[in-house]
Amino acid sequence: MAFANTLSTSWQIFKTSAKVLSSRKELAVFPLLSGITSLLVLVGMVTLGVLLLPATTGDSIPPLFYPVFAIGYFIVMYVATFWQAALISQANIALEGGDPSVAAGISAAAQRGGRLLPWVLITGVVSWIISAVEERVPFIGRFLDVAWRVVSFQVLPTLVLENLGAIDAVKKTKETLKNAWGHNVVGIVGLNFFTALLSLPGIGLIYLGVAANMAAVTGVFVLFGVLWILVASIVGAALTGIFQTALYRFTVDGHVPGPFAGLDLRQALKTR
């Protein structure tokens, strides 16, 4: 029964988020731009690395490799966080019945650009520490990872919508979610599950293309399969941003945003 309730709540969250996206399709532009700019940055960093780092022989790694890798990693993270902040700002407007726009989202994220940088640094360092712990003590590492995901999922909306700095946003999030420690964010897991299902047709096309064992057919099927998965990923990212914003509004204000009216978001924070 508990599993059925969880699945039902997740499905309702997915449908409601999809309904918001359907009426405000411009929200999907932000994940698209995030993917494009992240790819461009990644290609640029790889190109610079190839040009600047000295050639090596054997298994040796240039001393500058790790600093260059770290800088590139944080730049890509910042780009992704920037566009997520833009999405959250406009998802909030959509949930309040306003008219979101891509330009307004970019402007909102740019105005908070300085506040985003410390958060990106915190996220990167904490993620690295958790990964290091998980390599040595898997159980503790996984526990820390879940706890951090619960907090970090709501930090960015707090930072964007309340104009707080990174540290203050973390403190505020811990306060609003203090009763949720040790709990599973059902909405996040369920939403990820249903958005993952969107990719299945694309995976099926790729499988059929490979199974056909004919160059022309394989190429077409794989191409359309990859495109399908990319579109599904964009839609999934937009749905996650919408729910992320709605859950933030609920945890802070105590009321369910308009499109989610009638949906008990308390079920999105449910004991295992």
Side-chain angles (χ1 to χ4, degrees):
M1 182 63 69
F3 176 77
N5 290 337
T6 296
L7 193 63
S8 175
T9 299
S10 299
W11 172 243
Q12 293 301 322
I13 289 172
F14 174 80
K15 287 201 306 180
T16 305
S17 300
K19 184 177 180 180
V20 174
L21 181 60
S22 177
S23 63
R24 300 296 184 182
K25 296 180 177 61
E26 57 267 40
L27 295 178
V29 174
F30 298 111
L32 174 62
L33 293 176
S34 177
I36 293 173
T37 52
S38 295
L39 180 61
L40 291 175
V41 169
L42 185 60
V43 171
M45 293 301 298
V46 170
T47 302
L48 283 176
V50 171
L51 294 176
L52 297 179
L53 292 178
T56 60
T57 57
D59 297 329
S60 61
I61 298 177
L64 291 177
F65 172 81
Y66 292 108
V68 170
F69 176 82
I71 292 172
Y73 173 74
F74 280 111
I75 291 176
V76 171
M77 281 189 61
Y78 183 86
V79 169
T81 303
F82 177 92
W83 290 112
Q84 186 68 9
L87 169 60
I88 289 170
S89 72
Q90 298 310 291
N92 186 58
I93 291 176
L95 292 173
E96 292 179 344
D99 294 318
S101 72
V102 175
I106 294 174
S107 176
Q111 291 173 11
R112 295 158 178 80
R115 294 189 178 95
L116 295 178
L117 182 57
W119 171 237
V120 171
L121 294 174
I122 291 172
T123 301
V125 171
V126 171
S127 298
W128 178 80
I129 292 174
I130 291 176
S131 297
V133 172
E134 192 167 4
E135 287 181 1
R136 293 164 176 78
V137 190
F139 174 77
I140 295 178
R142 284 192 290 270
F143 172 79
L144 292 175
D145 182 58
V146 171
W148 177 244
R149 287 177 184 273
V150 170
V151 174
S152 62
F153 190 73
Q154 289 297 282
V155 170
L156 190 56
T158 304
L159 189 154
V160 172
L161 301 178
E162 297 192 28
N163 277 323
L164 296 176
I167 301 299
D168 290 335
V170 172
K171 292 179 180 178
K172 177 68 178 292
T173 301
K174 287 175 63 178
E175 180 65 24
T176 56
L177 294 179
K178 62 182 179 181
N179 295 323
W181 288 107
H183 292 58
N184 184 27
V185 183
V186 173
I188 303 171
V189 176
L191 192 60
N192 288 341
F193 170 75
F194 286 112
T195 53
L197 292 181
L198 296 176
S199 299
L200 289 182
I203 296 174
L205 286 173
I206 294 175
Y207 175 79
L208 291 175
V210 173
N213 200 26
M214 297 174 59
V217 175
T218 298
V220 171
F221 273 68
V222 170
L223 174 61
F224 279 100
V226 170
L227 289 176
W228 185 290
I229 292 173
L230 289 176
V231 171
S233 299
I234 291 171
V235 171
L239 295 180
T240 299
I242 292 169
F243 172 66
Q244 185 178 15
T245 308
L247 186 61
Y248 162 80
R249 293 255 65 104
F250 175 72
T251 56
V252 171
D253 302 335
H255 74 273
V256 181
F260 287 82
L263 180 61
D264 186 5
L265 288 184
R266 287 174 299 182
Q267 293 296 318
L269 295 171
K270 186 176 180 181
T271 305
R272 289 178 183 273

